Amino acid sequence: DAGITQSPRYKITETGRQVTLMCHQTWSHSYMFWYRQDLGHGLRLIYYSAAADITDKGEVSDGYVVSRSKTENFPLTLESATRSQTSVYFCASSLYLTGGGDGYTFGSGTRLTVV
Amino acid sequence: KQEVTQIPAALSVPEGENLVLNCSFTDSAIYNLQWFRQDPGKGLTSLLLIQSSQREQTSGRLNASLDKSSGRSTLYIAASQPGDSATYLCAVRNQAGNMLTFGGGTRLMVKP
């Protein structure tokens, strides 16, 4: 099915463990993004990528690592999970960065709980 | 730093009413503004995208306007239905940094 898919949908992990959230899009969009959504903070940008092998930090990047070896995949890794990283994580993609096209398209999200 | 505010934070209306959701932003240097719908426990669904050069966009019962100079956008929902119940988010794409900044959302409940 075409679109943007995230996996897993739900994840429980322990403090200190490494965990990777996956994001895959089928449109060959150049730009991909990771956001987290928390009550009281709304949606905040973690990392974004303009193309394969080009990534940049967002507003709340500490404790996260990304890679983009292929255009269609943009995994997000929590190197050593902390309870403050309990959140809902959304991946998004966009054809254009500076407007035009269809804007942003979001995945269904991954609900991560760190215990 | 761009700040996006949505008023009201929550709204409850009877079915059939026309309603307006408001979004304001502090920095008018934007590329576009996008309205999203989010159902509980779900992802974001794009409703309307307005480029900075446009004044409004329409899709079915939804109409969004943009007044960039005053930093305001409104989402008008005509003849509301219970299925419209959701959280509505607006987001601006900033020229500085090329990032989306989101508002806090308006939680809408349409009662049958």
Side-chain angles (χ1 to χ4, degrees):
Chain A
D1 208 11
I4 184 165
T5 55
Q6 293 184 235
S7 61
R9 286 297 315 275
Y10 304 92
K11 177 73 177 179
I12 300 175
T13 191
E14 294 177 341
T15 302
R17 289 196 179 266
Q18 183 180 83
V19 59
T20 296
L21 310 183
M22 305 301 293
C23 179
H24 176 80
Q25 54 106 351
T26 59
W27 293 300
S28 299
H29 281 176
S30 297
Y31 299 94
M32 297 188 74
F33 309 85
W34 275 105
Y35 283 84
R36 61 177 290 175
Q37 186 176 34
D38 305 286
L39 278 174
H41 291 282
L43 279 142
R44 294 178 292 173
L45 180 68
I46 305 171
Y47 264 97
Y48 69 100
S49 169
D53 297 322
I54 301 175
T55 62
D56 209 347
K57 294 180 179 180
E59 186 183 356
V60 289
S61 60
D62 288 347
Y64 301 96
V65 174
V66 293
S67 63
R68 194 157 177 216
S69 57
K70 293 184 178 181
T71 301
E72 61 266 31
N73 296 323
F74 191 38
L76 175 73
T77 298
L78 288 67
E79 295 182 294
S80 178
T82 65
R83 289 197 179 91
S84 66
Q85 293 177 310
T86 292
S87 185
V88 181
Y89 290 84
F90 288 102
C91 179
S93 71
S94 173
L95 181 59
Y96 303 106
L97 186 61
T98 58
D102 295 326
Y104 281 42
T105 303
F106 280 79
S108 300
T110 294
R111 185 175 296 273
L112 176 68
T113 302
V114 183
V115 298
Chain B
K1 181 185 174 185
Q2 177 78 269
E3 292 182 5
V4 181
T5 304
Q6 290 187 246
I7 294 173
L11 181 63
S12 180
V13 301
E15 181 177 5
E17 271 202 10
N18 301 324
L19 54 97
V20 174
L21 307 183
N22 296 294
C23 173
S24 62
F25 47 96
T26 55
D27 185 351
S28 62
I30 65 170
Y31 288 118
N32 58 45
L33 182 145
Q34 198 165 358
W35 282 94
F36 294 90
R37 169 188 172 134
Q38 186 175 28
D39 293 287
K42 303 292 185 183
L44 281 69
T45 300
S46 180
L47 297 173
L48 290 164
L49 171 70
I50 310 177
Q51 302 300 334
S52 60
S53 59
Q54 297 174 325
R55 296 286 292 183
E56 65 179 319
Q57 283 287 328
T58 298
S59 176
R61 293 183 294 108
L62 304 179
N63 175 275
S65 68
L66 173 63
D67 184 344
K68 195 176 74 164
S69 60
S70 69
R72 294 184 181 182
S73 176
T74 60
L75 179 66
Y76 175 82
I77 302 177
S80 59
Q81 302 171 358
D84 294 329
S85 298
T87 296
Y88 291 81
L89 296 159
C90 75
V92 296
R93 194 164 214 171
N94 305 298
Q95 291 183 12
N98 286 324
M99 290 191 291
L100 271 189
T101 302
F102 281 85
T106 294
R107 191 169 64 254
L108 173 65
M109 171 77 72
V110 181
K111 299 177 182 177

